[in-house]
Amino acid sequence: MNYHSGTTPANHDQVLDALALAVDITPTKRQEAVDRYKSLGEYLDRDGSPIKGFKPLISPQGSFLLDLVNRPWNDAEEYDLDLVCRLTASTSHLSQATLKKMVAAEVAGYAKAHGMEEPEDHRRCCRLNYAESALFHMDILPAIPDAARYRQMLSEGGYRDLAGSEELSGHAIAITDKTHPHYQVIAPDWYRSNPSGYAAWFRSRMEVQLRARRQLLERRLITASVDDVPDPQLKTPLQRAIQLLKRHRDFMFRNDPEHKPISIIITTLAAQSYNNEPTTSAALEVILRNMESHIKERHGVRWVANPVNPAENFADKWAETTVKESNFRRWLGAAQRDFGMYLQGSPYRQLPQGLLAAFGARAVRDAMGDQPPLAAPAVKRPEEQVRAAAEVAKTTHRPSPPWQVE
Amino acid sequence: MTEHVEALRREVERALAFEQPALEVSVEGEQVVVSGHYFLNGDLPSPDGPIATYSIRAVFDPGFPSVEPKVYEVAGVVPKGRHVNPDGSCCTGVWEEWLVTSTDHSVAAYLAGPFRDFFLSQVHFQLHGEWPFGERSHGRAGIVEGYASVLGIPPEGRRVSAYLRGLSRPAWARGRWPCPCGSGRRVKSCHREDLTRLRHLVSPDMATRMLHRMEAS
């Protein structure tokens, strides 16, 4: 099966887009995930639920919310679906332990009612494991709305613009964490998080491309030609580029997943580098060239700021575990080389070894369609290209005529 | 390795990252060496891959950009006589011409400028039989042509020397010396405006450097 809308790719971008689609979560699996968290949400909000009064609301966070979910790099790995379970309550009326207990009890009830094993209790979340064949687990993070305190913290830190934005800080939450010193008592100083603010920021970084895609979708809806097959055109080049980079990382660190560069760092630096380039190749180029320049330093500490809470450092583990920073830089070098080798040094049908290995035979076959492997370099007709390049050089700078000593 | 060499190595690496994935950067003694395959690409992506690939070795002295890098095409596909110096290095142009006319002297600007222009010229000549950016005569005459082009005057050695001597004077502003155009008048009542403009382009140090190079060749 060929993933590129039934046509054979004819240039680098079409191959990259087809590869991005080949590593993307399948539509069936995506729908299954949505059905599952909705089903859990309905259970928590059912009549007779002890927490119904708190208006429980389940919503995705992380890569599901950003539409950046890759299939696991090998078929034995599970999809990891991160959810927030928000209860309308206040930190001045209940402790983190109480909230966690209430949510965990209900999640356990859901598991029992559906014949699933008992949920695992983690530091911050409850993990609900589905049957092995489903290749799913859900991490459910108990939370309560806490925008006022979040905004106050931003204001005090000097980030008034962020504090004033409904989108970027109006949906911040307070979350449970068993390692918090006041976990057992009623206290206002919960750890905070802001997944929907981050998602709003992420969308804002690709706004032009999102708008173009929405228009495309609207036109299709009018002509009623939408079916279940995901259209790669509806994902922005930024999203596709990040999914390709994440797959490259997953393969590189398949034997050391604990110290691999984390997705939130790759996603943040990529989105900061992106300027609404219209193609995946242009997005990859601008990201791979510039992402390093967005790693800052504060008081001698490497800093990848959370764009919706700049006092939070996504790279806070780098100082204590230096291998995390060196792995990030090693990965960036490899990604620059592998994607550069394809986009700068190869004909479109010749994937360099580094990418062939990272994406694997299945994805490459899916992306390339039924074309036979490239045996010899394509016949090139560079005459016009060279003439055009020389003309462009004359307009961009003053080219040096060659000379020689004697 | 001195801090300066390390900084130059990092600058070269950054300039090549993604863009030239088949070039390796290393340090030999005090010099930063780039070697491997150089991909010459057009301005728009081509499904066929690079226009041409050259095996190269480029040596950056810590004195860059004042000191011109040495570039070698190591597979021997650029024949002698097509702007290759007697020591086998590629002649990417008259160096001072780039120093004076370009405002960006970073490694990246050099690679996108004289370095790429040289290989683009070579392919262009191979395919079309002409040098797209012209070419300079060999030896001293080429240096004179390059400098004359910067100064905007005819390529005559004596005239170019006279201009450069004028521009190398630290106290030139009063203009009480003979105009380098050869009119016999003083600068202040002749090409004063032109020279004032050139002065912004060619500093006294640069003019002295150019004069020395002309005299030595």
Side-chain angles (χ1 to χ4, degrees):
Chain A
M1 177 182 160
N2 174 6
Y3 275 80
H4 193 81
S5 319
T7 58
T8 305
N11 58 43
H12 292 84
D13 264 301
Q14 289 175 2
V15 170
L16 289 173
D17 289 349
L19 279 175
L21 189 58
V23 300
D24 195 20
I25 183 173
T26 61
T28 335
K29 212 69 190 164
R30 188 200 313 270
Q31 192 54 51
E32 203 181 319
V34 173
D35 292 346
R36 280 169 193 226
Y37 82 70
K38 283 191 172 158
S39 150
L40 174 64
E42 282 159 15
Y43 179 85
L44 300 182
D45 198 30
R46 75 192 183 284
D47 290 335
S49 160
I51 59 172
K52 187 176 168 69
F54 293 104
K55 299 190 187 118
L57 195 69
I58 292 266
S59 54
Q61 62 162 335
S63 59
F64 256 90
L65 185 57
L66 307 174
D67 209 0
L68 297 174
V69 181
N70 278 354
R71 301 179 190 195
W73 80 269
N74 79 34
D75 291 338
E77 303 255 322
E78 292 196 342
Y79 284 95
D80 168 12
L81 174 52
D82 291 323
L83 301 172
V84 177
C85 175
R86 195 175 351 192
L87 266 53
T88 307
S90 159
T91 53
S92 39
H93 294 122
L94 81 177
S95 68
Q96 298 177 46
T98 310
L99 176 67
K100 179 82 171 278
K101 217 166 124 187
M102 289 192 319
V103 172
E106 283 308 289
V107 173
Y110 178 81
K112 201 171 170 192
H114 289 78
M116 296 158 65
E117 61 183 74
E118 203 171 314
E120 295 168 21
D121 183 26
H122 285 241
R123 184 165 72 107
R124 291 187 164 179
C125 64
C126 319
R127 176 169 294 179
L128 193 52
N129 287 305
Y130 286 81
E132 227 168 78
S133 59
L135 296 173
F136 253 126
H137 64 255
M138 279 185 193
D139 283 342
I140 301 141
L141 176 69
I144 54 183
D146 196 30
R149 278 206 190 81
Y150 190 84
R151 289 171 138 177
Q152 187 188 343
M153 171 195 73
L154 286 173
S155 285
E156 286 167 4
Y159 307 109
R160 289 181 203 291
D161 286 352
L162 283 170
S165 161
E166 177 64 21
E167 271 209 310
L168 297 178
S169 61
H171 304 281
I173 51 179
I175 60 174
T176 61
D177 188 319
K178 284 205 281 192
T179 64
H180 192 286
H182 301 141
Y183 180 70
Q184 298 287 354
V185 297
I186 295 177
D189 60 340
W190 297 30
Y191 293 134
R192 297 187 181 87
S193 184
N194 185 9
S196 60
Y198 183 89
W201 170 81
F202 184 70
R203 280 194 301 274
S204 76
R205 294 297 310 160
M206 52 186 191
E207 206 175 345
V208 176
Q209 293 298 324
L210 267 182
R211 216 178 301 135
R213 275 154 185 79
R214 263 188 227 122
Q215 283 166 359
L216 188 73
L217 184 65
E218 278 162 17
R219 273 205 300 278
R220 298 210 174 163
L221 283 172
I222 291 164
T223 54
S225 64
V226 165
D227 51 30
D228 273 342
V229 179
D231 189 330
Q233 299 300 323
L234 295 179
K235 263 198 198 198
T236 67
L238 173 63
Q239 289 167 312
R240 278 178 256 164
I242 292 173
Q243 286 189 265
L244 293 172
L245 293 174
K246 280 169 63 175
R247 169 50 46 103
H248 183 271
R249 174 221 40 198
D250 287 343
F251 179 75
M252 185 165 167
F253 294 96
R254 62 196 180 284
N255 297 322
D256 183 19
E258 195 189 329
H259 295 125
K260 71 182 181 187
I262 57 177
S263 293
I264 191 72
I265 289 183
I266 295 177
T267 303
T268 304
L269 296 176
Q272 280 167 336
S273 308
Y274 182 65
N275 293 305
N276 283 292
E277 282 74 12
T279 61
T280 307
S281 62
L284 276 170
E285 178 168 349
V286 76
I287 290 167
L288 287 171
R289 275 175 194 262
N290 297 315
M291 72 192 304
E292 198 176 8
S293 70
H294 293 285
I295 302 171
K296 304 295 182 202
E297 214 170 287
R298 283 193 200 172
H299 317 296
V301 177
R302 301 258 191 268
W303 205 279
V304 178
N306 177 350
V308 291
N309 177 15
E312 180 184 357
N313 181 12
F314 287 145
D316 59 349
K317 301 280 191 308
W318 286 10
E320 60 197 63
T321 318
T322 51
V323 68
K324 286 186 189 285
E325 176 174 357
S326 58
N327 276 356
F328 175 84
R329 293 186 193 277
R330 215 154 50 82
W331 166 75
L332 180 58
Q336 284 169 333
R337 212 166 34 249
D338 291 343
F339 287 101
M341 201 64 196
Y342 180 54
L343 289 167
Q344 302 288 329
S346 312
Y348 78 96
R349 280 172 54 200
Q350 205 169 50
L351 276 180
Q353 202 48 47
L355 293 188
L356 277 177
F359 288 95
R362 180 194 62 82
V364 171
R365 204 175 44 240
D366 289 351
M368 291 287 191
D370 298 328
Q371 300 190 64
L374 193 63
V379 181
K380 288 192 273 182
R381 290 198 183 77
E383 284 84 354
E384 280 319 302
Q385 225 187 328
V386 169
R387 218 191 275 279
E391 287 308 313
V392 171
K394 286 184 208 167
T395 61
T396 55
H397 60 279
R398 177 176 158 145
S400 313
W403 167 77
Q404 74 183 52
V405 174
E406 269 306 343
Chain B
M1 199 193 318
T2 64
E3 242 173 63
H4 183 66
V5 176
E6 174 57 17
L8 180 62
R9 183 187 66 80
R10 276 203 306 270
E11 187 188 349
V12 173
E13 269 184 355
R14 266 199 307 274
L16 294 172
F18 181 85
E19 176 97 19
Q20 292 297 338
L23 288 178
E24 296 286 336
V25 182
S26 60
V27 172
E28 292 178 14
E30 288 288 286
Q31 292 178 313
V32 177
V33 177
V34 172
S35 54
H37 299 296
Y38 170 70
F39 298 128
L40 176 69
N41 278 297
D43 297 280
L44 297 170
S46 160
D48 294 328
I51 296 171
T53 303
Y54 288 96
S55 296
I56 64 116
R57 177 180 158 85
V59 182
F60 289 80
D61 187 272
F64 178 89
S66 179
V67 179
E68 178 180 357
K70 285 262 185 196
V71 181
Y72 303 87
E73 185 280 303
V74 295
V77 301
V78 175
K80 282 214 160 28
R82 286 199 198 153
H83 303 292
V84 178
N85 290 319
D87 69 352
S89 64
C90 303
C91 185
T92 57
V94 178
W95 189 241
E96 292 76 18
E97 214 183 325
W98 182 66
L99 289 180
V100 170
T101 57
S102 164
T103 49
D104 181 355
H105 294 143
S106 63
V107 171
Y110 164 70
L111 293 172
F115 185 91
R116 178 172 181 264
D117 293 340
F118 177 82
F119 292 104
L120 184 56
S121 289
Q122 292 291 338
V123 185
H124 196 283
F125 185 80
Q126 215 181 319
L127 294 171
H128 300 291
E130 59 186 45
W131 299 99
F133 314 126
E135 61 176 328
R136 299 276 177 243
S137 303
H138 294 183
R140 185 177 188 274
I143 298 183
V144 171
E145 287 164 17
Y147 293 174
S149 152
V150 167
L151 299 168
I153 59 174
E156 293 160 17
R158 276 176 53 193
R159 185 85 69 88
V160 171
S161 295
Y163 265 78
L164 291 176
R165 267 197 304 276
L167 289 167
S168 67
R169 285 165 187 259
W172 69 287
R174 289 189 297 276
R176 291 199 189 113
W177 37 280
C179 187
C181 76
S183 66
R185 282 180 293 183
R186 286 184 174 189
V187 167
K188 64 176 183 178
S189 47
C190 196
H191 280 87
R192 183 180 179 138
E193 264 180 41
D194 286 350
L195 281 157
T196 308
R197 191 177 39 78
L198 280 174
R199 176 77 173 208
H200 289 297
L201 221 57
V202 186
S203 67
D205 281 354
M206 180 54 76
T208 307
R209 170 183 170 154
M210 290 160 83
L211 260 180
H212 286 167
R213 188 168 183 196
M214 263 179 75
E215 283 161 8
S217 58

